[in-house]
Amino acid sequence: MMKLSAEERAAALKDLPAWRYDQERQAIVRQFQFADFQEAFAFMTRIALAAEKADHHPEWSNVWNKVDVALTTHSAGGLTVKDLDLAAIMDKAASA
Amino acid sequence: MMKLSAEERAAALKDLPAWRYDQERQAIVRQFQFADFQEAFAFMTRIALAAEKADHHPEWSNVWNKVDVALTTHSAGGLTVKDLDLAAIMDKAASA
């Protein structure tokens, strides 16, 4: 799994407008907000299954109705296609 | 729900030796570590159900096999019995 170049990253983020690149963490980050804890955790459960299936896991935190996510690929030392894929899955799950 | 006094807090933490009090957050904090992501998320799922039932929710983050938790009662401006109860439930679930 190859780390994306800065050009590849910029192009990919155009399709993920809700995400921003965090240079320090070498990760893409986004906050999701839901109606309440139930909705937030239902989202996390869907994503947990998808993450396990892809063998690629988010770094995330949850405070009641909010879920803060950072996606990076430690083994590649930065952002890879795996992160973009999981970000797209999350966007879809959150808007469903 | 009354905020615990410093004396009550100190006494309660004797029964929760894996937790420490974070003065700045006015919360008790603990890290749980599991074999892998599946085990970590299974724990989170059990706790999510317990939290929803108690209508008292953790602040928590997860990175693969680790779950970092902070418990406080915002409406009381600090630690209450609700936090101690949830901490005990977490300890039990993690050792089960």
Side-chain angles (χ1 to χ4, degrees), chain B residues 10-96:
Chain B
L13 284 176
K14 286 186 186 160
D15 294 328
L16 299 167
W19 296 77
R20 69 174 177 80
Y21 184 64
D22 181 326
Q23 180 74 42
E24 199 174 324
R25 301 175 76 177
Q26 300 223 32
I28 50 172
V29 299
R30 179 182 172 181
Q31 182 176 87
F32 294 90
Q33 189 165 329
F34 300 92
D36 55 24
F37 176 78
Q38 271 203 19
E39 295 295 323
F41 201 78
F43 167 77
M44 292 181 76
T45 303
R46 289 188 67 172
I47 299 307
L49 298 178
E52 191 65 8
K53 192 169 178 178
D55 197 21
H56 188 61
H57 303 88
E59 301 180 12
W60 51 1
S61 61
N62 159 243
V63 179
W64 201 56
N65 69 331
K66 293 192 180 72
V67 180
D68 280 280
V69 180
L71 302 177
T72 188
T73 305
H74 288 293
S75 58
L79 214 61
T80 68
V81 168
K82 280 192 173 188
D83 301 303
L84 305 178
D85 289 348
L86 188 52
I89 289 170
M90 286 186 159
D91 282 355
K92 192 175 171 193
S95 67

Side-chain angles (χ1 to χ4, degrees), chain A residues 18-93:
Chain A
W19 296 77
R20 69 174 177 79
Y21 183 64
D22 181 326
Q23 180 74 43
E24 198 174 325
R25 301 175 76 177
Q26 300 222 32
I28 50 172
V29 299
R30 181 183 170 180
Q31 182 176 86
F32 294 90
Q33 190 166 330
F34 300 92
D36 54 25
F37 177 77
Q38 271 202 20
E39 295 295 323
F41 201 79
F43 167 76
M44 292 180 77
T45 303
R46 289 188 67 171
I47 298 309
L49 299 178
E52 192 65 7
K53 191 169 179 178
D55 197 20
H56 189 61
H57 303 87
E59 301 180 13
W60 50 1
S61 62
N62 159 242
V63 179
W64 200 55
N65 69 331
K66 294 193 180 72
V67 180
D68 280 280
V69 181
L71 302 177
T72 188
T73 305
H74 289 292
S75 59
L79 214 62
T80 69
V81 168
K82 281 192 172 188
D83 300 304
L84 305 177
D85 289 349
L86 188 51
I89 288 170
M90 286 187 159
D91 282 356
K92 193 175 170 193

